[in-house]
């Protein structure tokens, strides 16, 4: 496939807290996790409560992963993290792999809502990528569903 789309629904972690994030990292064609500090991204995020809302922008510069979630993953999968990631040209050595994410989560304990929109790339087209790993900042995934689609050229 030339591109991939990853859909996530109702994800939560064993560490359901305000600092529980989900990250993505690519696998190289050699079958190893690509951990070099060549991940770059720009993120627009928003959060809201019943009385206020805020917006912010951020970046990851020379990081070893991409963000998939904002924070506050909920234990209740009906309210948990939902989103998608798109990977463009992972098997090209002419273009660097591109990454697009849109995600949303709601935390019932605090009534906070979180939304992120991220775009990024890996600044290394010397190799191809044949997969990716989903991992958490703390704990492990304990609920939800991940569905992966391949897109043919």
């Amino acid at each position: 496939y030339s591109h991939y789309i990853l859909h996530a629904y109702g994800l939560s972690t064993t560490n359901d807290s305000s600092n529980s994030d989900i990250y993505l990292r690519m696998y190289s064609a050699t079958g190893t996790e690509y951990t070099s500090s060549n991940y770059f991204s720009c993120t627009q995020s928003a959060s809201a409560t019943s009385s206020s809302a805020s917006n912010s922008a951020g970046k990851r510069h020379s990081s070893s992963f991409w963000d998939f979630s904002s924070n506050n993953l909920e234990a209740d999968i009906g309210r948990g993290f939902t989103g998608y990631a798109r990977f463009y040209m992972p098997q090209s050595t002419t273009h660097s792999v591109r990454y697009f994410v849109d995600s949303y989560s709601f935390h019932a304990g605090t009534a906070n809502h979180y939304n992120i929109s991220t775009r990024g790339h890996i600044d290394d087209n010397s190799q191809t990528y044949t997969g990716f790993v989903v991992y958490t900042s703390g704990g492990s995934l304990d609920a939800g569903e991940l569905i992966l689609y391949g897109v043919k050229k």
Side-chain angles (χ1 to χ4, degrees):
Y1 297 105
S2 60
H3 310 300
Y4 294 91
I5 301 169
L6 174 67
H7 284 263
Y9 172 74
L11 298 184
S12 73
T13 67
T14 55
N15 179 31
D16 297 312
S17 69
S18 63
N19 61 359
S20 189
D21 294 318
I22 299 176
Y23 303 130
L24 293 167
R25 199 179 268 155
M26 297 301 291
Y27 265 90
S28 67
T30 62
T32 59
E33 207 169 314
Y34 186 78
T35 59
S36 295
S37 296
N38 291 323
Y39 292 77
F40 293 82
S41 63
C42 296
T43 300
Q44 294 176 322
S45 60
S47 62
T49 67
S50 59
S51 61
S52 67
S54 66
N55 296 296
S56 64
K59 66 176 177 68
R60 291 218 181 266
H61 192 268
S62 300
S63 181
S64 62
F65 60 88
W66 285 315
D67 292 304
F68 192 29
S69 72
S70 179
N71 63 10
N72 256 350
L73 299 180
E74 173 64 63
D76 175 359
I77 64 166
R79 295 185 179 120
F81 166 82
T82 300
Y84 67 87
R86 294 181 182 183
F87 304 94
Y88 296 94
M89 302 169 291
Q91 296 182 6
S92 172
T93 54
T94 307
H95 305 283
S96 59
V97 62
R98 304 295 201 283
Y99 161 81
F100 288 31
V101 148
D102 283 301
S103 66
Y104 173 81
S105 61
F106 172 71
H107 195 273
T110 60
N112 291 346
H113 307 257
Y114 300 92
N115 181 68
I116 68 167
S117 180
T118 302
R119 307 295 184 256
H121 74 284
I122 293 179
D123 193 28
D124 180 357
N125 27 326
S126 67
Q127 60 185 304
T128 60
Y129 305 94
T130 56
F132 59 90
V133 62
V134 177
Y135 68 100
T136 65
S137 61
S140 58
L141 293 175
D142 64 353
E145 189 174 275
L146 293 167
I147 303 169
L148 180 64
Y149 298 95
V151 179
K152 286 185 178 181
K153 232 178 192 181

